[in-house]
Structure formats: C-alpha cells, structure tokens
C-alpha cells in the first residue's frame, strides 16, 4: 500500500489573477497528485467556508500534512472523514473548504496514478460500486449571455444557457460555435454593445430602439433574440436559465414565478436553476414545479450546495428534480460522491459545474465522465480556465 509522504500547498493565480491554492500530495514512491482550487462569486449560504490563501497554505503544509502522513491515498473515504472530524465544524471553518478539498482531490489524482489508470476510470470505480452510471456523454449547458453579479450590464439573471439537443461532443461544439457566432451578429444588428462576463459569455446591454431595458423586459428580449437565432438557422438547441436569485435585490417571487411560466410557454426553456433565493418559502418552488416540471428541469445550486444533508430537505417535496454539483461547495470528494449518489437514487438529473472564479484545473471533466453526469456547465469557449475543461472532455472522448 503506498503511503502519503508529504502534502505541500502553494499560492497560485486563478481567475483574473486572483490568488488561490494548489495542493500537491506525494507518496513514498515519489508519485504525486495535485489540484488547484476554484471559488465562487454567487455563493450559497451553507457552502464550505474558505480561509485566506496564506492561511490555507499553512494549514495544508503543517496541520494536515502531519495529520495524514502515512495514510493510503486510495482510501478516499478514510482521508476525507479524518479531515472532516479534525475540522469538527459543519462548514469546515477551521481548516477551510479550500485546504480540505485541495488535499481530497489531489489524493484522488495520486491514487489514479498509483494504479496506472486515467482519473475518470479511478473516479468511475469509486462511484460504480455504489450506483449505476450507464448513460451517454454529458450534454453542455453553454453560458452564452451573462448578467447578474457576473457582468456589468442591465441583466439581473446570471446565465442564459444554450443546450444542444445531441450527445456527440463534436456535434455539440459545432452547434455552439455556430450559434454563438450567429448570435453575436444578430446582437450587432439590434445595436447591442459587445462586452463579456466572468465566464466568457456575451454581456452587453439589452436595448430596444436605443433605450436600455430593465428587469423582465430585458430578460425577455434576450430570449426573443436567442429564439430568432435558433429558428432562422434551425439550430437543434433548447434554452436554460441560471437566475441565481440569491443575488437579485428586489425579487418578487409571485411576479417571477409568472414570468418563468410565460417564458417556458413562449420559448423552449428546459432548464431553470435557482429560480428562487435559497431562503424563499418552499411554497414558491412547489408552485413553479407543479407548473413547469414536465418541460423544464428545476435545478438547485445555492439551494443545495452539493451537500447531502441539505438535499434531504428537498427530496420527495416536488421542488427540484436536478442538482448542481460543485465539489468546492461541500469541501470533500467523498461528500461530493454522496451528493451524486443521492441525486441518482432519487432520479434527479446531475450537472457537474465549474465556479465563476475558476482555475485552469481540468478535474471536473473527469468527474463528469466518471459519474455519467447528465450535463456539464463549464462556461463559454473562452478563457483558459474554461477551455481546459472542454479540452479534457475532448481528450477523454478520443
Ligand atoms: C453558478 C456559478 C457558476 P458562482 O451560480 O452556477 O456559473 O457561479 O461560481 O459565482 O457561484
Ligand atoms: Mg448557479
């Protein structure tokens, strides 16, 4: 059994030059695994907490290095539980979700290398022991138009997503490239300025006859434009939305509930994420679920924070039927697998998602393929931190 020899973390640059950490775990044979930790801008209240990068480096190099010395990197559950128990807080406040996750995922990479298998195979072996993971290649939720806290425009909703209706990776990429190009041209004819958001999507202002639109008028105008592009070119795509309602200041649930229902009737919207804020009454989620779940996935992100214990509150309640999985929200790989397993057992769709403030690490692509996720959400085809994940998907497929 190989044993962990050293855990070494350092500060590295992530999204737009912001500091984060990279953790490297080395075994006594000299093999190593690493992970660069991302973070979010629009966060759920119950996410694992991050400590400052300097402090996270110190915690990894001293406390956790000592704690895990001699452990077997293949024993993911034991490693993760040891860190969880030593931290002893529900949101990993003492060591930081960033320090703990850095080690957790670096260990899984090391374990794959020790066995001489690809990372997605190693991750697949972990999850396959527990739930069936048959299914086609994940489909893309492509962030074409950005707003909310990820952009500086007049859109309140965070992401207007394009979803190709095919599973072949190459076909999806071709459709999305052509759709984006056609949309940029169409936006120009409408007099919409060119700007980009955090995830490389278009993030200009929405205007009509030169006047800036606000609120639901602006959101509706985006769907009208997307639909014009879709129908003119016969693109086989559906649409989706990540509202990220937590961040919308004047959010009136009844008015937004009606608006979603109208949009789902007028446009092919098959995906709706965080349509209400996490503290909103369950009744709103249930009402909307009753009205649109036959056509549209109801997706929890800030609501569920990849946390199996949080998910329990929504199972069997007819509120959501799909879940965003972001390992850094919960802070260990084992808990991430628990969340995926729970979702699959309850017939919820699984979406493996990046964070807005990503690093160039491509781990998520292996995770998505390993667990046969229904969708991936990796942003637009722009910026190294997004492209790294798409390129890894291509590599795996080949
Ligand atoms: C989201 C994510 C990723 P953030 O809300 O789904 O797009 O954003 O990382 O800022 O939480
Ligand atoms: Mg979201």
């Amino acid at each position: 059994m190989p044993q962990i020899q050293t855990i070494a973390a350092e500060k590295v640059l992530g999204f737009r030059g912001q500091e984060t950490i990279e953790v490297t775990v080395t075994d006594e044979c000299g093999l190593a695994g690493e992970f660069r930790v991302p973070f979010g801008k629009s966060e759920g209240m119950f996410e694992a907490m991050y400590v400052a990068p300097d402090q996270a480096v110190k915690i990894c190099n001293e406390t956790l290095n000592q704690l895990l010395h001699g452990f077997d990197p293949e024993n993911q559950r034991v490693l993760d539980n040891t860190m969880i128990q030593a931290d002893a807080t529900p949101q990993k406040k003492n060591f930081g979700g960033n320090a703990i996750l850095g080690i957790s995922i670096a260990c899984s990479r090391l374990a794959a290398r020790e066995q001489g298998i690809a990372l997605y195979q190693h991750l697949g072996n972990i999850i396959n022991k527990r739930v069936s993971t048959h299914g086609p290649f994940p489909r893309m939720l492509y962030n074409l138009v950005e707003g909310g806290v990820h952009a500086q425009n007049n859109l309140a909703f965070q992401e207007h997503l394009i979803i190709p209706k095919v599973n072949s990776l190459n076909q999806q990429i071709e459709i999305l490239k052509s759709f984006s190009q056609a949309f940029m041209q169409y936006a120009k004819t409408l007099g919409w300025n060119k700007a980009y958001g955090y995830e490389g999507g278009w993030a200009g202002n929405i205007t009509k006859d030169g006047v800036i639109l606000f609120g639901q008028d602006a959101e509706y105008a985006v769907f009208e434009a997307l639909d014009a592009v879709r129908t003119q070119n016969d693109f086989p795509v559906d649409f989706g939305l990540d509202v990220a309602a937590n961040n919308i200041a004047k959010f009136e649930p009844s008015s937004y509930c009606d608006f979603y229902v109208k949009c789902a009737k007028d446009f092919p919207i098959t995906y709706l994420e965080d349509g209400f804020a996490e503290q909103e009454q369950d009744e709103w989620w249930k009402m909307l679920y009753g009205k649109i779940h036959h056509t549209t996935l109801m997706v929890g992100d800030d609501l569920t924070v990849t946390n199996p214990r949080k998910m329990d509150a929504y199972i069997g309640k007819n509120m959501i039927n799909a879940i965003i999985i972001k390992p850094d929200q919960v802070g260990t790989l084992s808990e991430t697998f628990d969340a995926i397993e729970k979702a699959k057992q309850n017939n919820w769709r699984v979406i493996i998602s990046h964070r807005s403030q990503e690093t160039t690490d491509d781990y998520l692509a292996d995770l998505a393929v390993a667990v046969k996720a229904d969708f991936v959400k990796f942003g637009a085809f722009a910026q190294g931190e997004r492209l790294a994940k798409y390129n890894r998907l291509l590599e795996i497929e080949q």
Side-chain angles (χ1 to χ4, degrees):
M1 275 310 160
Q3 294 179 349
I4 292 177
Q5 190 72 23
T6 52
I7 293 174
E10 59 185 358
K11 283 197 296 185
V12 292
L13 298 182
F15 173 78
R16 291 186 179 169
Q18 293 193 53
E19 284 182 349
T20 181
I21 60 162
E22 171 166 314
V23 182
T24 304
V25 180
T26 310
D27 70 11
E28 89 274 18
C29 306
L31 287 173
E34 67 292 322
F35 184 58
R36 290 186 293 275
V37 185
F39 45 100
K41 171 81 177 168
S42 73
E43 294 177 316
M45 231 175 352
F46 294 100
E47 291 193 21
M49 299 185 63
Y50 277 33
V51 298
D54 278 320
Q55 203 189 338
V57 165
K58 201 162 178 289
I59 289 166
C60 287
N61 292 353
E62 295 173 11
T63 320
L64 296 174
N65 187 21
Q66 270 173 29
L67 181 74
L68 299 175
H69 187 85
F71 276 59
D72 177 359
E74 276 183 48
N75 216 337
Q76 191 73 46
R77 177 70 63 177
V78 171
L79 283 163
D80 289 340
N81 280 350
T82 304
M83 290 192 280
I84 290 168
Q85 276 157 22
D87 174 88
T89 65
Q91 285 178 265
K92 304 183 174 62
K93 233 201 265 174
N94 284 330
F95 298 154
N98 45 347
I100 294 176
L101 186 75
I103 294 172
S104 181
I105 292 190
C107 283
S108 69
R109 269 203 172 114
L110 171 56
R113 286 174 189 152
E114 285 173 346
Q115 296 166 77
I117 57 177
L119 179 58
Y120 67 88
Q121 288 170 325
H122 170 58
L123 299 176
N125 290 343
I126 298 179
I127 188 102
N128 269 327
K129 286 193 194 119
R130 297 156 55 174
V131 281
S132 154
T133 52
H134 292 294
F137 218 72
R139 287 167 62 202
M140 292 181 190
L141 299 164
Y142 186 87
N143 191 358
L144 183 61
V145 176
E146 299 198 57
V149 296
H150 290 177
Q152 287 182 317
N153 59 2
N154 57 328
L155 288 169
F157 294 173
Q158 190 174 282
E159 299 164 31
H160 290 77
L161 303 153
I162 308 297
I163 316 167
K165 292 201 277 188
V166 294
N167 279 97
S168 139
L169 185 59
N170 283 306
Q171 273 178 310
Q172 292 192 63
I173 291 171
E174 282 316 310
I175 292 167
L176 290 168
K177 279 196 317 201
S178 313
F179 194 105
S180 307
Q181 237 169 22
F183 173 79
M184 299 301 167
Q185 276 162 11
Y186 190 74
K188 207 167 154 194
T189 66
L190 296 173
W192 294 357
N193 67 311
K194 213 175 191 177
Y196 292 96
Y198 277 29
E199 300 178 1
W202 180 90
N205 279 316
I206 309 301
T207 58
K208 194 166 194 175
D209 305 324
V211 178
I212 293 203
L213 299 177
F214 285 101
Q216 294 174 3
D217 291 342
E219 310 298 340
Y220 196 84
V222 173
F223 279 125
E224 282 181 321
L226 295 176
D227 210 38
V229 172
R230 179 184 72 93
T231 48
Q232 279 164 23
N233 301 277
D234 219 7
F235 283 122
V237 299
D238 289 327
F239 301 149
L241 255 189
D242 180 4
V243 176
N246 270 5
N247 302 313
I248 299 179
K250 286 186 193 135
F251 189 90
E252 189 16 79
S254 71
S255 143
Y256 277 91
C257 187
D258 292 346
F259 182 65
Y260 300 145
V261 175
K262 177 175 166 50
C263 288
K265 202 165 114 280
D266 295 351
F267 307 109
I269 297 175
T270 56
Y271 179 99
L272 177 65
E273 179 181 332
D274 280 346
F276 300 102
E278 62 187 296
Q279 280 169 303
E280 202 59 76
Q281 304 250 336
D282 289 3
E283 302 319 310
W284 289 112
W285 292 87
K286 288 180 190 164
M287 185 182 301
L288 185 61
Y289 184 99
K291 291 185 179 182
I292 68 171
H293 84 276
H294 291 297
T295 54
T296 309
L297 286 174
M298 294 275 290
V299 190
D301 173 13
D302 293 340
L303 183 76
T304 35
V305 291
T306 316
N307 188 323
R309 292 173 298 284
K310 291 290 292 174
M311 290 166 75
D312 285 339
Y314 309 115
I315 286 170
K317 297 271 174 67
N318 291 343
M319 289 171 62
I320 55 173
N321 52 9
I323 186 173
I324 285 277
I325 297 288
K326 296 167 173 165
D328 65 295
Q329 279 182 324
V330 68
T332 62
L333 189 55
S334 296
E335 289 163 291
T336 303
F337 276 125
D338 291 343
I340 295 169
E341 182 181 2
K342 195 165 267 197
K344 285 180 180 270
Q345 281 165 347
N346 287 284
N347 208 19
W348 290 2
R349 300 282 91 81
V350 170
I351 301 112
I352 302 293
S353 170
H354 67 163
R355 297 311 302 248
S356 56
Q357 322 219 25
E358 263 297 332
T359 70
T360 48
D361 205 291
D362 58 9
Y363 186 87
L364 291 176
D366 284 77
L367 181 63
V369 171
V371 305
K372 287 273 161 33
D374 298 280
F375 299 98
V376 293
K377 190 150 86 94
F378 292 165
F381 297 148
Q383 306 171 182
E385 69 274 19
R386 319 291 156 195
L387 295 174
K389 286 134 186 98
Y390 288 119
N391 282 333
R392 177 64 184 151
L393 280 183
L394 282 166
E395 210 172 74
I396 295 172
E397 205 205 28
Q398 281 158 30

